[in-house]
Amino acid sequence: MTDIAAIAAQFEPASGVPIERAVPLGSGNINDTYLVHLKGDGRPGSFRAFVLQRINQKVFPHPELIMANLRAMMEHIAAKAGAPGDADVLGGTRRWELPGVVPAEDGRDYVIDDQGDFWRAITFIEGARTYPKINDARHAAEAGFALGTFQRQISDLDVQKLHDTLPGFHIIPHYLRLYDAGAGSPVPNMDTPEIRYGMAFVAQRRDWAPVLQDACAAGRLRERPIHGDPKIDNIMIDDTSGLAVSIIDLDTVKPGLVQYDIGDCLRSCCNLQGEDAQDLDHVSFELDLCETILKGYLPEVKEFYSDEDYAQLYNSVRVLAFEMGLRFFTDYLRGDVYFKTRYPEHNLMRGLVQFRLAESIEAQETQISRMVRGLIQAL
Ligand code: GN1
Ligand code: MG
């Protein structure tokens, strides 16, 4: 078993400061995350706790590029601090901070252990927490604000400065290729109602689903820096003020379409049953929450959003629910090689939840599109 404390001790804040304990943090599907508490108050000016992560190298073959992206992004944001337009957030009228890189004792920004595992540390944001689902309208507006603020902060970072740390991420044709391979050499009993439903679901939508990549190839959308994974559990809310203070889990910051981000945020936040819902009949897309999130989001992004970005909002959320369902369903068919699972049918169930969510989105297309038009006119 890996000695987490021994790894943690190799990072700078733990230099000469005993570690009190290291406890698992969050419920990530890919990497392993721990919160490391230091004894006492740490050294003056230093941390009392930091976040330690083992990056899954089956998913991220070049984890050092994640760190390079993180540094490029942080430098960009720091250089802009205080510039007009950022005064509301970075000027200090409200708390807003992103996790920063915690260096290793040897000055590098990671540690490789004797099994070849890649470990990195980032700062812990104190006095705030994440929630598994949206609690109320205020929380929803803050989730939208957090994503919009983050996208705005990085919108003018030259996308060429970011590495593609995860080729194929959010690219539907890539996921369809994996699906076709998985469906060709599948789990033992394929002839179940659940699998038949999933396969029919994919078959009916596969020609439509690359709609965002098609728009990009046609020059109607363009790649920018994105967060990549702005689901509800990655938005931190201040314990005292109830306001968003951070968007965390920056491993997937890379070139992409802003549509992936807003679509992912909406498909995650507007599904109150969560990704692990057990009762498919109760999975639905909450239109009111969608409106409130967009009210928090759109004012933050309007300075860089194009007409086509607005026009793709409905497609964004429909595609991202489809994509997430396809990825979970495919992982089940391939024998659970990508996402961590807690029970044998976990990925199948997760896939079906997202497919049901996509159906709920489709059933509300007229209402969603009308609501979005109204919000855009009011901006
Ligand atoms: C994975 O590991 P985690 O939970 O932060 C996945 C996301 C999915 C998410 C679904 C690199 O994120 O794309 O949206 O699960 N991350 C990667 O919960 O594939
Ligand atoms: Mg993530």
Side-chain angles (χ1 to χ4, degrees):
M1 262 225 6
T2 310
D3 182 351
I4 307 294
I7 307 275
Q10 296 176 52
F11 284 88
E12 206 271 329
S15 172
V17 181
I19 289 162
E20 189 171 275
R21 61 186 192 282
V23 288
L25 181 67
S27 52
N29 293 322
I30 308 286
N31 301 320
D32 300 317
T33 308
Y34 301 88
L35 181 57
V36 179
H37 295 269
L38 299 172
K39 278 222 174 83
D41 288 338
R43 280 170 292 145
S46 192
F47 314 106
R48 282 176 304 167
F50 63 92
V51 175
L52 179 67
Q53 286 186 301
R54 172 173 31 209
I55 304 293
N56 181 335
Q57 293 183 80
K58 280 198 223 131
V59 170
F60 296 102
H62 297 289
E64 66 285 356
L65 300 184
I66 296 178
M67 303 311 287
N69 281 359
L70 202 51
R71 287 200 181 274
M73 187 195 79
M74 290 303 177
E75 276 166 26
H76 175 80
I77 291 176
K80 268 180 31 161
D86 270 324
D88 51 340
V89 174
L90 297 169
T93 55
R94 62 180 283 170
R95 182 182 170 207
W96 178 256
E97 53 193 273
L98 295 173
V101 176
V102 170
E105 249 180 338
D106 64 7
R108 289 191 301 178
D109 47 20
Y110 54 88
V111 163
I112 310 266
D113 70 14
D114 48 17
Q115 294 168 52
D117 283 346
F118 184 101
W119 296 84
R120 64 86 184 263
I122 51 173
T123 53
F124 174 60
I125 306 220
E126 303 214 27
R129 71 191 68 192
T130 62
Y131 293 87
K133 69 179 182 73
I134 293 282
N135 298 322
D136 52 29
R138 188 157 179 250
H139 186 186
E142 285 300 307
F145 172 87
L147 176 60
T149 295
F150 180 74
Q151 283 191 342
R152 182 163 58 73
Q153 285 187 290
I154 61 173
S155 62
D156 54 350
L157 165 60
D158 180 1
V159 82
Q160 307 284 347
K161 291 190 175 154
L162 295 179
H163 301 278
D164 188 355
T165 44
L166 203 51
F169 192 49
H170 292 307
I171 307 292
I172 297 288
H174 165 74
Y175 294 126
L176 284 172
R177 276 191 295 276
L178 292 179
Y179 166 76
D180 288 337
S185 55
V187 290
N189 182 8
M190 291 268 297
D191 196 21
T192 66
E194 289 80 16
I195 293 182
R196 280 201 301 273
Y197 162 80
M199 289 190 157
F201 189 92
V202 174
Q204 284 155 13
R205 291 160 183 81
R206 60 180 300 150
D207 292 338
W208 155 82
V211 57
L212 298 175
Q213 286 86 48
D214 291 348
C216 190
R220 288 187 282 121
L221 295 176
R222 70 179 176 85
E223 288 205 324
R224 298 195 185 91
I226 61 162
H227 180 282
D229 189 15
K231 57 181 179 179
I232 174 70
D233 355 12
N234 285 337
I235 290 161
M236 288 197 90
I237 302 290
D238 186 285
D239 290 338
T240 311
S241 69
L243 299 176
V245 295
S246 189
I247 185 161
I248 57 170
D249 191 11
L250 305 178
D251 305 332
T252 45
V253 168
K254 67 189 274 307
L257 299 176
V258 291
Q259 283 70 30
Y260 304 150
D261 274 355
I262 185 60
D264 194 53
C265 181
L266 291 172
R267 70 104 204 144
S268 167
C269 293
C270 301
N271 164 19
L272 289 177
Q273 304 298 314
E275 279 176 11
D276 282 334
Q278 290 299 314
D279 182 354
L280 292 175
D281 291 336
H282 281 94
V283 175
S284 68
F285 182 80
E286 303 297 326
L287 185 66
D288 289 352
L289 284 183
C290 178
E291 178 165 15
T292 312
I293 292 165
L294 287 172
K295 277 185 180 161
Y297 171 79
L298 289 173
E300 300 307 311
V301 298
K302 69 176 182 186
E303 67 186 48
F304 68 87
Y305 246 50
S306 68
D307 288 349
E308 185 68 11
D309 287 328
Y310 289 114
Q312 293 289 355
L313 279 168
Y314 168 74
N315 276 338
S316 304
V317 57
R318 183 183 172 204
V319 168
L320 265 287
F322 173 85
E323 176 202 312
M324 218 44 249
L326 178 67
R327 291 173 61 195
F328 285 135
F329 187 53
T330 298
D331 203 32
Y332 176 70
L333 296 175
R334 298 176 72 212
D336 302 326
V337 293
Y338 188 95
F339 298 105
K340 291 181 194 168
T341 53
R342 287 190 295 279
Y343 60 97
E345 315 280 295
H346 198 168
N347 274 322
L348 173 62
M349 194 59 192
R350 285 165 165 162
L352 300 183
V353 167
Q354 296 299 313
F355 289 161
R356 292 297 277 264
L357 185 65
E359 283 180 336
S360 174
I361 292 164
E362 291 164 359
Q364 298 180 82
E365 173 171 3
T366 312
Q367 294 92 318
I368 296 172
S369 299
R370 190 188 310 131
M371 176 268 286
V372 166
R373 275 197 304 277
L375 292 180
I376 295 167
Q377 274 159 19
L379 272 177

